[in-house]
Amino acid sequence: MSFALTDKEKLRVALASLLGVHMDPIGASDLAVVVFWSTAHFVQLLAAAYMLAHTRYRPIGSQQPGVMLLVTLASCVWFVGDITANELVHPATPLLRDCVFTAVWLRSALGQTAVLALLSHRALCLFVKYGLRRHVPAAMTLASSALLLATTLTPAVIISVLPRTRTVEYVAGLEICNFDRRFKAAAVGLGWLALAGALAGALLVCVRVRCAHAEGTRLLAGALLLGAANAMHTGVFYGRAEYAASRGWRAAVVCVDQAAAVGAWWLLMGRALVGCAWRRQQLLAEWTQESQTHHATKRSVIVTTIQ
């Protein structure tokens, strides 16, 4: 994986110029983006490991650590798909030169769509917990998991069996992914559909359910952050079809995507993790007080309604 201006890279830039495309060579700025977000995801993985080691601590255990671990892994997969599909790195293996694998499976199905689907699942669990005042049943968890798998994997499987000329194909000399116009529209539509599910779930929780610890508000903020990134990506995808050839645009797309993915995770888990590490007893007392206040408010609302 070279970031130097080699003869092969000069030839790639020259070939693009012959085809009327101005292509910035892969270089130091791309390396800086890769290193920065690799570090950010490594820190996130360490935080997820710390989360799993302290699941008995109530402020962490109540945050669905299993779901948040899957969000962590999905955001890492999203990052790998982002830097390969958006051409910040030279694809080192035949598998990474398969645009269906990088753009559809890594970036979309197992990355962005998986993150959004998991946030939808979290919203459902919050609605059951606070709206229906019940523990989340195992049957519902299994059904939701099956729906998540169907949502993320079915479109990717269908796309994988279609001819590459009708979806997305790799242009060897330029090392870029060429998207079919109709496939581009379908891919963008699926991304917005997954986002709509996450936003609808977060809005449902915020509007219809009184959550303790501002969980609904933080979930909605995370979904909006991911929505802003998706809006930016859609605009660039259509407004600058050859954005990946521009050093600035490809870096901007990856940075916004990853800032949203990492930022949404820390919005949901940051308070519990930082509190557990540096103000453990104080946060636990605050958390307990918030829970007691929430339950007392619920009981008073029920009594008032009955009267």
Side-chain angles (χ1 to χ4, degrees):
M1 189 182 294
S2 173
F3 292 89
L5 188 59
T6 61
D7 290 338
K8 183 180 179 180
E9 182 66 359
K10 291 177 182 177
L11 180 61
R12 187 173 80 99
V13 172
L15 179 59
S17 180
L18 289 174
L19 296 175
V21 177
H22 173 74
M23 179 175 288
D24 293 327
I26 295 173
S29 61
D30 301 289
L31 175 61
V33 172
V34 172
V35 170
F36 179 83
W37 288 111
S38 295
T39 304
H41 282 288
F42 180 69
V43 171
Q44 186 181 359
L45 285 169
L46 291 178
Y50 183 83
M51 172 188 71
L52 292 179
H54 295 83
T55 53
R56 292 188 177 183
Y57 182 61
R58 281 187 59 203
I60 289 180
S62 65
Q63 297 301 305
Q64 299 172 313
V67 172
M68 296 312 295
L69 174 64
L70 292 176
V71 173
T72 302
L73 297 177
S75 65
C76 291
V77 172
W78 185 357
F79 170 63
V80 175
D82 242 1
I83 62 174
T84 49
N86 290 311
E87 296 140 42
L88 271 74
V89 297
H90 293 290
T93 65
L95 188 60
L96 293 178
R97 287 191 284 271
D98 184 351
C99 291
V100 169
F101 177 70
T102 57
V104 176
W105 281 97
L106 296 185
R107 190 197 175 278
S108 182
L110 300 178
Q112 180 191 30
T113 305
V115 169
L116 292 168
L118 288 164
L119 292 185
S120 301
H121 172 77
R122 183 181 171 94
L124 176 62
C125 292
L126 287 175
F127 181 78
V128 172
K129 180 180 178 180
Y130 292 111
L132 304 180
R133 298 189 298 280
R134 294 173 53 191
H135 291 294
V136 181
M140 194 194 79
T141 300
L142 289 173
S144 179
S145 300
L147 183 61
L148 288 179
L149 284 173
T151 302
T152 56
L153 299 185
T154 302
V157 170
I158 293 173
I159 291 168
S160 297
V161 300
L162 292 174
R164 296 295 192 264
T165 53
R166 294 177 58 186
T167 55
V168 54
E169 57 184 338
Y170 182 73
V171 183
L174 300 178
E175 296 184 5
I176 62 173
C177 293
N178 183 39
F179 291 85
D180 176 76
R181 178 177 55 84
R182 287 170 297 182
F183 169 74
K184 181 187 288 189
V188 169
L190 286 172
W192 280 106
L193 185 63
L195 177 63
L199 282 172
L203 283 170
L204 174 68
V205 170
C206 279
V207 174
R208 300 295 300 275
V209 181
R210 188 188 297 274
C211 294
H213 323 297
E215 291 187 56
T217 303
R218 289 186 284 115
L219 180 63
L220 179 59
L224 288 173
L225 195 61
L226 290 163
N230 198 51
M232 187 265 192
H233 188 269
T234 301
V236 173
F237 209 41
Y238 278 104
R240 295 187 64 93
E242 298 163 354
Y243 74 91
S246 167
R247 183 183 296 113
W249 279 110
R250 65 185 179 235
V253 168
V254 171
C255 286
V256 171
D257 278 352
Q258 299 312 307
V262 174
W265 192 89
W266 281 104
L267 272 173
L268 295 172
M269 291 303 305
R271 184 190 179 200
L273 289 173
V274 172
C276 181
W278 283 288
R279 45 195 298 272
R280 188 181 183 91
Q281 295 304 319
Q282 183 180 352
L283 176 62
L284 184 59
E286 293 172 1
W287 198 271
T288 303
Q289 180 62 39
E290 289 172 5
S291 296
Q292 291 172 348
T293 302
H294 171 76
H295 292 309
T297 304
K298 273 286 187 182
R299 283 195 295 270
S300 66
V301 169
I302 293 171
V303 170
T304 303
T305 303
I306 293 175
Q307 292 174 344

